[in-house]
Structures are given as structure tokens and as C-alpha cells.
Amino acid sequence: MWQVSARCLCRASSRAWQKRLPWPGPCGPAAPRSRSPAWSSGTAPAQGLSSMAPSIRLSPATRSLFDEPLAIAVQGLGPRQQVTLRTSLRDETGELFQASARYQAGDDGELDLARCPALPGGSFSGLEPMGLLWALQPQKPFWRLVKRDVQSPFLLQLEVFEGHGQRPGRLLAQAQHERAFLRDGVRRVPVREGRIRATLFLPPGSGPFPGIIDLYGTGGGLPEYRACLLANHGFAVLALAFYSYEDLPKGMKEFHLEYFEEAVNYMLQHTQVKGPGIGLLGHSKGGDLCVSMASFLKGITATALINGSVANVGAVLHYKDITIPPLGVNLKRIKVSKSGIADIIDALNNPLEGPDQQSFIPLEKAECCFLFIVGQDDHNWKSEFFAVEGSKRLQAHGKEKPEIVCYPGAGHYIEPPFFPMCAASMHLLFGKPVMWGGEPKAHCEAQIDAWQQIQAFFHKHLTGKPSGTSSKL
Ligand SMILES: CCCCCCCCCCCC(=O)SCCNC(=O)CCNC(=O)[C@H](O)C(C)(C)COP(=O)(O)OP(=O)(O)OC[C@H]1O[C@@H](n2cnc3c(N)ncnc32)[C@H](O)[C@@H]1OP(=O)(O)O
């Protein structure tokens, strides 16, 4: 990870949060060690096996929040026994996601994923305590892990099989664990005020809380999971639909900023939202909508973009008598691989040249601070170029330099921590599967760090206090 702002930010590293997990120490010969009281057995041996049979131990035992680490260990194995661990999770449409990894227990018959590296031949190798979650892959091609109902958890199934064969050996132990989205006490409030179609998440207590509007990208609908997870950390977050949802326009033809202005005013007037301004968070197409909101609307204090664009893309934008055309596209520059997956990285025109300059959003009008989260292997578009050009333009107009945090090996779909990377899926505008970029391990580490950076940025600018969550890294 590198960053362009003057402020020094921490490096993306899975090692740091691994230190928070229980059971420190080397894999291999047994060493006396104390166990965390938070650590408890959540599982039973496979049916028909004796009480001395292997069992899975999880911490937290039965339920954790999706963006929190989960410590996994197996006890009761033979000395240096070879086993294969498998995780399975079905999304709400019934699609199955699975990951598996090969391990060898220590001399004491214990296998602690925080201390024992996975051996080659599985979904990942090396010391990866959360590998069995971030390496989950769909059986259905081009399918992403999406959470639709944040009020119910994902059910994670863990299984331990004998041996390292291509086909699973005898089942030795199994366990289930809930990966939840809504923290106890967080309120989920559907919002249908005026034209707004949204869901507000409010942390427990009377508030007021720093407020954020969260926008997803092309695809429409009302994805709530990022907003919900963010609200768990003390923010009042409005997940805002902007097309293809209930009575909103079906397609992405044009947007009117007045709709988004209604949402900003809703938040500013809400008794549980702390003023005087709010934050904006947007991914992909949601990112350039946030840049437009910050540039033209009042009451925005901080804007964080995840692989966003500083040019208006995909649809005309209107606000009062202003019209910003979308950045031009040349479909001839799309490369399609033999497997039929398109690489659209070069499809968009350059917003610094010719008539396409009209699509560059005048972000120098914004009165807020900016954070650009950039996946340097983004294949949807040139996120790093957009961030650097946005920074140049802000500074050329005497505005504060934005924070730019770049992650090598991270692709376009930077989600909250532990969502498996989606390498390619259907592009709902282009109508073909496209590659999003990213290398799974680097992408997963970027997600963990980016999540902290986003929270720290909003804490700093919306509350004036440094984030209390940064110690996670
Ligand atoms: C070329 C140059 C251009 C260049 C021009 C560039 C223009 C701008 C490009 C911006 C790029 C981006 O924004 S990148 C994308 C960032 N995307 C997001 O943030 C997506 C956010 N939204 C969503 O993910 C969606 O709303 C969902 C998955 C939550 C679905 O919502 P829904 O409203 O319930 O819709 P639903 O009917 O179930 O599904 C709608 C469609 O999504 C598919 N779909 C549904 N679930 C999934 C899933 N888990 N994984 C994969 N696909 C799914 C369905 O098959 C269906 O496709 P079909 O049957 O209709 O075919």
C-alpha cells in the first residue's frame, strides 16, 4: 500500500490483526500456553465419534460480525495428522460458496490456524487465519457474495476431513457459525420520505451520531450490508437506492442531483444525526455520484470514494440548469479473452482531452475533505488516475490535498473485510462478464485496511476525534 497524502498511514497487513487472535505461538511442537477466556468450544465431533474425537474450536464461539476476525482451531487430532478443512456458505439465492485448505496438526494433535500455515494444494497456502473465509468461491461462475437481508446472518459450515486427497476423506469434525451483519441494538429504519428510497441504520443510544450516506454502484437495488456494518461502528448510515428499486427509474440513463439533495437534507435534519455536515461514501458509479454531490450540494463535510471516478460516468447528470455529460466510451478498446471475459480497463475516454473534459466533475467547488481508496489492479477503470487527477485539480484551485490510499494487488470490488474477492462477474451495463482485477490475498488485506481508513477518515472529519477502531490494525 502506498499513499499520496502528506499524512502517514499504516500499511495494509494481515499480520497486525492476527496478533489480536487467541493462541499465539509457533505451529508444531506443543508449548505450554494459556488460552483466552473469550475462546470456547463451539462445536461437536462428527456424529458417531467418541468424545476424544477431533473437534473444532471457534472464537467467538457461535456468532461474530462479518467484518470481525474469527479464530479457528481443531483439537484432538493425532500428532502431525494431515487434514483438510472446508468452509461452505450459501447465499440467500441458494448459491454455494466453498473454500478448502490442507493442514498438518502439531505434535500435540492441535491445529491452530493462527499458528499453522496451510500447505499447498488448497484454495490458499501459508499462514492465513481467515483464509477459509476470504477464499470462499462460488460454484456458479461470475457470482458475487452479496448479503440481501442484513437482519439474518450468513451460516458458515466448517468441516474437517481426513487426509489431503482430491476427494474429501472421512469427516472428522464439523461446526456451524453465524456471520452476522446487524450488531445488537443497531436499528434498521426503512425510509420512504418524499422521493427517497433508502434504509437508515442507527447505532444504539440516543445520539446524535456522525452521519454518512452510502452509495453502491451499477446494478441498482438497495444493498444495505456496507451501511449496516459501518453503523455497527457508531455512525448513522443511510444506504441510498438511486435506480432499479421500487418506483425509482429502472435504468441508468440520467440522474438528477435533486434526488440526492433530498437525502442529504433528510440526514441533516434528522435529530439523531450530528451536524453541521455529513459524510458521503461511494463505490464505483456511487463514487462519482458522491463527487457530484460534494461539488454542488451544501452540508457535506467528508467524502470517501472506493475506486470512484472524478468524471461523470455512464449517465447524464442534471442539477438545476447544470448538465454534465457522461465520459465517452469506445467499445473497440475492450479486449475479450478466449474464455469470454472482457477487460474494459481502456474503454473509457480520457476526461482531460477534447469534449470529454465536460464530464470532469468540478470537485474544486466542494467544501469537504476527500479520501480516495484505490485498488491499483482495478480493471473496471483507472481509479488511480482519477484520484491523482482529482488531487491535482483540487490543489490547482487552492483546495486541501486529498488523502489517497493505494493498494497494490487490489481490484475494483473493494468490499468490507472478509468478503471474498469477485474476480469477474456480469457487467450490468455492458451485458458480458468483465474482469474486476485483484489478487485474492492482497485484495483481502486491502479490504481490512481500507475499512479502517474509511472509519478513521469519517471519525476525524465528522467528530473531530481520531478513530477508536484503528487499534484493530
Ligand atoms: C463497458 C464499458 C462501460 C463503461 C461505462 C461505465 C459506466 C459506469 C460503470 C460503473 C461500474 C460500477 O458501478 S461497478 C459495479 C459496482 N456494483 C455495485 O456496486 C453493485 C451494487 N448492486 C448490486 O450488486 C445489485 O443491486 C444486487 C446484486 C444487490 C442485486 O440487486 P436486486 O435489485 O435485488 O436485483 P436482482 O434482480 O436480484 O439482480 C439484478 C441483476 O444482478 C444479477 N445478480 C444478482 N445477484 C448477483 C450476485 N450475487 N452476483 C452476480 N450477479 C448478481 C442478477 O443476475 C441480475 O442480472 P440480470 O438477470 O438482470 O442480467
Side-chain angles (χ1 to χ4, degrees), residues 52 105 116-117 159 198 228 256 271 274 310 317 333 355 360 373 399 406 411 430 442:
M52 297 302 287
C116 295
E159 292 163 302
C228 171
H256 293 265
T271 53
K274 184 179 174 329
V310 289
L317 185 89
R333 291 196 293 254
F360 204 119
I373 297 289
K399 291 292 172 86
C406 292
F430 184 46

PDB file of all heavy atoms in Angstrom, residues 52 105 116-117 159 198 228 256 271 274 310 317 333 355 360 373 399 406 411 430 442:
ATOM      1  N   MET A  52     -13.412 -38.267  22.521  1.00  0.00           N
ATOM      2  CA  MET A  52     -11.999 -37.950  22.323  1.00  0.00           C
ATOM      3  C   MET A  52     -11.726 -37.585  20.856  1.00  0.00           C
ATOM      4  O   MET A  52     -10.607 -37.299  20.476  1.00  0.00           O
ATOM      5  CB  MET A  52     -11.136 -39.172  22.696  1.00  0.00           C
ATOM      6  CG  MET A  52     -11.238 -39.570  24.166  1.00  0.00           C
ATOM      7  SD  MET A  52     -10.766 -38.223  25.264  1.00  0.00           S
ATOM      8  CE  MET A  52      -8.992 -38.242  25.011  1.00  0.00           C
ATOM      9  N   ALA A 105      -1.506 -31.122  11.643  1.00  0.00           N
ATOM     10  CA  ALA A 105      -1.586 -30.768  13.064  1.00  0.00           C
ATOM     11  C   ALA A 105      -0.186 -30.728  13.679  1.00  0.00           C
ATOM     12  O   ALA A 105       0.769 -31.272  13.109  1.00  0.00           O
ATOM     13  CB  ALA A 105      -2.451 -31.793  13.796  1.00  0.00           C
ATOM     14  N   CYS A 116      -0.550 -22.209  12.302  1.00  0.00           N
ATOM     15  CA  CYS A 116      -0.155 -23.248  11.342  1.00  0.00           C
ATOM     16  C   CYS A 116      -0.420 -22.790   9.911  1.00  0.00           C
ATOM     17  O   CYS A 116      -1.556 -22.422   9.579  1.00  0.00           O
ATOM     18  CB  CYS A 116      -0.942 -24.526  11.596  1.00  0.00           C
ATOM     19  SG  CYS A 116      -0.573 -25.252  13.182  1.00  0.00           S
ATOM     20  N   PRO A 117       0.581 -22.826   9.071  1.00  0.00           N
ATOM     21  CA  PRO A 117       0.346 -22.443   7.675  1.00  0.00           C
ATOM     22  C   PRO A 117      -0.408 -23.529   6.912  1.00  0.00           C
ATOM     23  O   PRO A 117      -0.233 -24.714   7.174  1.00  0.00           O
ATOM     24  CB  PRO A 117       1.770 -22.271   7.120  1.00  0.00           C
ATOM     25  CG  PRO A 117       2.652 -23.080   8.002  1.00  0.00           C
ATOM     26  CD  PRO A 117       1.981 -23.178   9.353  1.00  0.00           C
ATOM     27  N   GLU A 159     -15.932 -27.953   8.154  1.00  0.00           N
ATOM     28  CA  GLU A 159     -15.770 -29.407   8.220  1.00  0.00           C
ATOM     29  C   GLU A 159     -14.281 -29.752   8.207  1.00  0.00           C
ATOM     30  O   GLU A 159     -13.486 -29.075   7.533  1.00  0.00           O
ATOM     31  CB  GLU A 159     -16.432 -30.073   7.012  1.00  0.00           C
ATOM     32  CG  GLU A 159     -17.952 -29.969   7.024  1.00  0.00           C
ATOM     33  CD  GLU A 159     -18.548 -30.243   5.665  1.00  0.00           C
ATOM     34  OE1 GLU A 159     -18.182 -29.531   4.699  1.00  0.00           O
ATOM     35  OE2 GLU A 159     -19.362 -31.170   5.542  1.00  0.00           O
ATOM     36  N   ALA A 198     -34.613   4.377   0.761  1.00  0.00           N
ATOM     37  CA  ALA A 198     -33.357   4.173   1.486  1.00  0.00           C
ATOM     38  C   ALA A 198     -33.598   3.389   2.764  1.00  0.00           C
ATOM     39  O   ALA A 198     -34.743   3.096   3.131  1.00  0.00           O
ATOM     40  CB  ALA A 198     -32.753   5.540   1.836  1.00  0.00           C
ATOM     41  N   CYS A 228     -24.835  -1.075   7.005  1.00  0.00           N
ATOM     42  CA  CYS A 228     -25.146  -1.732   8.273  1.00  0.00           C
ATOM     43  C   CYS A 228     -23.873  -2.007   9.073  1.00  0.00           C
ATOM     44  O   CYS A 228     -23.780  -1.695  10.270  1.00  0.00           O
ATOM     45  CB  CYS A 228     -25.883  -3.024   7.934  1.00  0.00           C
ATOM     46  SG  CYS A 228     -26.143  -4.094   9.304  1.00  0.00           S
ATOM     47  N   HIS A 256     -30.726  12.981 -11.495  1.00  0.00           N
ATOM     48  CA  HIS A 256     -30.985  14.356 -11.078  1.00  0.00           C
ATOM     49  C   HIS A 256     -30.463  14.505  -9.657  1.00  0.00           C
ATOM     50  O   HIS A 256     -30.895  13.779  -8.754  1.00  0.00           O
ATOM     51  CB  HIS A 256     -32.487  14.661 -11.161  1.00  0.00           C
ATOM     52  CG  HIS A 256     -32.987  14.664 -12.566  1.00  0.00           C
ATOM     53  ND1 HIS A 256     -33.087  15.822 -13.312  1.00  0.00           N
ATOM     54  CD2 HIS A 256     -33.372  13.654 -13.380  1.00  0.00           C
ATOM     55  CE1 HIS A 256     -33.523  15.521 -14.523  1.00  0.00           C
ATOM     56  NE2 HIS A 256     -33.712  14.198 -14.587  1.00  0.00           N
ATOM     57  N   THR A 271     -32.817  14.184  13.869  1.00  0.00           N
ATOM     58  CA  THR A 271     -32.410  14.536  15.234  1.00  0.00           C
ATOM     59  C   THR A 271     -31.252  13.668  15.735  1.00  0.00           C
ATOM     60  O   THR A 271     -30.535  14.074  16.645  1.00  0.00           O
ATOM     61  CB  THR A 271     -33.592  14.366  16.218  1.00  0.00           C
ATOM     62  OG1 THR A 271     -34.106  13.037  16.042  1.00  0.00           O
ATOM     63  CG2 THR A 271     -34.678  15.392  15.964  1.00  0.00           C
ATOM     64  N   LYS A 274     -25.583  13.948  13.810  1.00  0.00           N
ATOM     65  CA  LYS A 274     -24.780  15.052  14.345  1.00  0.00           C
ATOM     66  C   LYS A 274     -24.385  15.988  13.198  1.00  0.00           C
ATOM     67  O   LYS A 274     -23.877  15.527  12.180  1.00  0.00           O
ATOM     68  CB  LYS A 274     -23.535  14.434  14.990  1.00  0.00           C
ATOM     69  CG  LYS A 274     -22.597  15.376  15.684  1.00  0.00           C
ATOM     70  CD  LYS A 274     -21.462  14.531  16.267  1.00  0.00           C
ATOM     71  CE  LYS A 274     -20.329  15.300  16.889  1.00  0.00           C
ATOM     72  NZ  LYS A 274     -19.969  16.561  16.409  1.00  0.00           N
ATOM     73  N   VAL A 310     -13.593  10.691 -10.965  1.00  0.00           N
ATOM     74  CA  VAL A 310     -13.848  12.134 -10.816  1.00  0.00           C
ATOM     75  C   VAL A 310     -14.516  12.684 -12.071  1.00  0.00           C
ATOM     76  O   VAL A 310     -14.805  13.876 -12.153  1.00  0.00           O
ATOM     77  CB  VAL A 310     -12.560  12.925 -10.495  1.00  0.00           C
ATOM     78  CG1 VAL A 310     -12.085  12.625  -9.086  1.00  0.00           C
ATOM     79  CG2 VAL A 310     -11.462  12.633 -11.511  1.00  0.00           C
ATOM     80  N   LEU A 317     -25.829  13.692 -15.906  1.00  0.00           N
ATOM     81  CA  LEU A 317     -26.164  14.210 -14.577  1.00  0.00           C
ATOM     82  C   LEU A 317     -26.768  15.612 -14.725  1.00  0.00           C
ATOM     83  O   LEU A 317     -26.188  16.463 -15.410  1.00  0.00           O
ATOM     84  CB  LEU A 317     -24.915  14.291 -13.698  1.00  0.00           C
ATOM     85  CG  LEU A 317     -25.253  14.714 -12.273  1.00  0.00           C
ATOM     86  CD1 LEU A 317     -25.563  13.500 -11.413  1.00  0.00           C
ATOM     87  CD2 LEU A 317     -24.131  15.519 -11.654  1.00  0.00           C
ATOM     88  N   ARG A 333     -12.065  -0.622 -27.741  1.00  0.00           N
ATOM     89  CA  ARG A 333     -10.873  -0.795 -26.887  1.00  0.00           C
ATOM     90  C   ARG A 333     -11.066  -1.899 -25.835  1.00  0.00           C
ATOM     91  O   ARG A 333     -10.200  -2.137 -25.024  1.00  0.00           O
ATOM     92  CB  ARG A 333     -10.541   0.535 -26.183  1.00  0.00           C
ATOM     93  CG  ARG A 333     -10.039   1.618 -27.158  1.00  0.00           C
ATOM     94  CD  ARG A 333      -9.367   2.766 -26.429  1.00  0.00           C
ATOM     95  NE  ARG A 333     -10.325   3.510 -25.633  1.00  0.00           N
ATOM     96  CZ  ARG A 333     -10.811   4.712 -25.933  1.00  0.00           C
ATOM     97  NH1 ARG A 333     -10.406   5.331 -27.033  1.00  0.00           N
ATOM     98  NH2 ARG A 333     -11.666   5.313 -25.155  1.00  0.00           N
ATOM     99  N   PRO A 355     -13.761  17.129 -25.976  1.00  0.00           N
ATOM    100  CA  PRO A 355     -15.092  17.332 -25.390  1.00  0.00           C
ATOM    101  C   PRO A 355     -15.323  16.528 -24.108  1.00  0.00           C
ATOM    102  O   PRO A 355     -16.208  16.870 -23.313  1.00  0.00           O
ATOM    103  CB  PRO A 355     -16.057  16.864 -26.487  1.00  0.00           C
ATOM    104  CG  PRO A 355     -15.250  16.416 -27.640  1.00  0.00           C
ATOM    105  CD  PRO A 355     -13.799  16.567 -27.323  1.00  0.00           C
ATOM    106  N   PHE A 360     -15.656  15.984 -16.609  1.00  0.00           N
ATOM    107  CA  PHE A 360     -14.870  16.106 -15.366  1.00  0.00           C
ATOM    108  C   PHE A 360     -15.697  16.923 -14.369  1.00  0.00           C
ATOM    109  O   PHE A 360     -16.061  18.060 -14.633  1.00  0.00           O
ATOM    110  CB  PHE A 360     -13.526  16.807 -15.655  1.00  0.00           C
ATOM    111  CG  PHE A 360     -12.445  16.474 -14.652  1.00  0.00           C
ATOM    112  CD1 PHE A 360     -11.266  15.857 -15.053  1.00  0.00           C
ATOM    113  CD2 PHE A 360     -12.596  16.782 -13.303  1.00  0.00           C
ATOM    114  CE1 PHE A 360     -10.260  15.545 -14.133  1.00  0.00           C
ATOM    115  CE2 PHE A 360     -11.607  16.476 -12.374  1.00  0.00           C
ATOM    116  CZ  PHE A 360     -10.431  15.853 -12.785  1.00  0.00           C
ATOM    117  N   ILE A 373      -9.827   5.742  -1.941  1.00  0.00           N
ATOM    118  CA  ILE A 373      -9.330   4.383  -1.749  1.00  0.00           C
ATOM    119  C   ILE A 373      -9.148   3.794  -3.151  1.00  0.00           C
ATOM    120  O   ILE A 373     -10.111   3.773  -3.940  1.00  0.00           O
ATOM    121  CB  ILE A 373     -10.357   3.531  -0.949  1.00  0.00           C
ATOM    122  CG1 ILE A 373     -10.569   4.094   0.458  1.00  0.00           C
ATOM    123  CG2 ILE A 373      -9.971   2.053  -0.944  1.00  0.00           C
ATOM    124  CD1 ILE A 373      -9.417   3.918   1.407  1.00  0.00           C
ATOM    125  N   LYS A 399      -7.291  24.112  -3.003  1.00  0.00           N
ATOM    126  CA  LYS A 399      -8.027  23.288  -2.027  1.00  0.00           C
ATOM    127  C   LYS A 399      -7.073  22.294  -1.362  1.00  0.00           C
ATOM    128  O   LYS A 399      -5.980  22.018  -1.859  1.00  0.00           O
ATOM    129  CB  LYS A 399      -9.164  22.531  -2.736  1.00  0.00           C
ATOM    130  CG  LYS A 399     -10.277  23.456  -3.213  1.00  0.00           C
ATOM    131  CD  LYS A 399     -11.004  24.045  -2.040  1.00  0.00           C
ATOM    132  CE  LYS A 399     -12.010  25.120  -2.376  1.00  0.00           C
ATOM    133  NZ  LYS A 399     -13.307  24.624  -2.727  1.00  0.00           N
ATOM    134  N   CYS A 406      -3.457   3.842  -1.770  1.00  0.00           N
ATOM    135  CA  CYS A 406      -3.403   2.885  -2.884  1.00  0.00           C
ATOM    136  C   CYS A 406      -3.020   1.494  -2.395  1.00  0.00           C
ATOM    137  O   CYS A 406      -2.146   1.362  -1.540  1.00  0.00           O
ATOM    138  CB  CYS A 406      -2.360   3.340  -3.906  1.00  0.00           C
ATOM    139  SG  CYS A 406      -2.840   4.835  -4.753  1.00  0.00           S
ATOM    140  N   GLY A 411      -8.357  -5.123  -6.528  1.00  0.00           N
ATOM    141  CA  GLY A 411      -9.144  -4.882  -7.719  1.00  0.00           C
ATOM    142  C   GLY A 411     -10.249  -3.856  -7.490  1.00  0.00           C
ATOM    143  O   GLY A 411     -10.177  -3.036  -6.576  1.00  0.00           O
ATOM    144  N   PHE A 430     -22.703  -3.428 -19.631  1.00  0.00           N
ATOM    145  CA  PHE A 430     -22.040  -3.988 -20.810  1.00  0.00           C
ATOM    146  C   PHE A 430     -22.695  -5.298 -21.249  1.00  0.00           C
ATOM    147  O   PHE A 430     -22.623  -5.683 -22.424  1.00  0.00           O
ATOM    148  CB  PHE A 430     -20.553  -4.176 -20.456  1.00  0.00           C
ATOM    149  CG  PHE A 430     -19.686  -4.651 -21.580  1.00  0.00           C
ATOM    150  CD1 PHE A 430     -19.759  -4.084 -22.846  1.00  0.00           C
ATOM    151  CD2 PHE A 430     -18.764  -5.657 -21.372  1.00  0.00           C
ATOM    152  CE1 PHE A 430     -18.956  -4.527 -23.873  1.00  0.00           C
ATOM    153  CE2 PHE A 430     -17.946  -6.107 -22.385  1.00  0.00           C
ATOM    154  CZ  PHE A 430     -18.042  -5.546 -23.640  1.00  0.00           C
ATOM    155  N   ALA A 442      -3.951 -10.191  -1.570  1.00  0.00           N
ATOM    156  CA  ALA A 442      -3.671  -8.750  -1.472  1.00  0.00           C
ATOM    157  C   ALA A 442      -4.988  -7.977  -1.379  1.00  0.00           C
ATOM    158  O   ALA A 442      -5.106  -6.988  -0.640  1.00  0.00           O
ATOM    159  CB  ALA A 442      -2.866  -8.293  -2.681  1.00  0.00           C
TER     160      ALA A 442
END
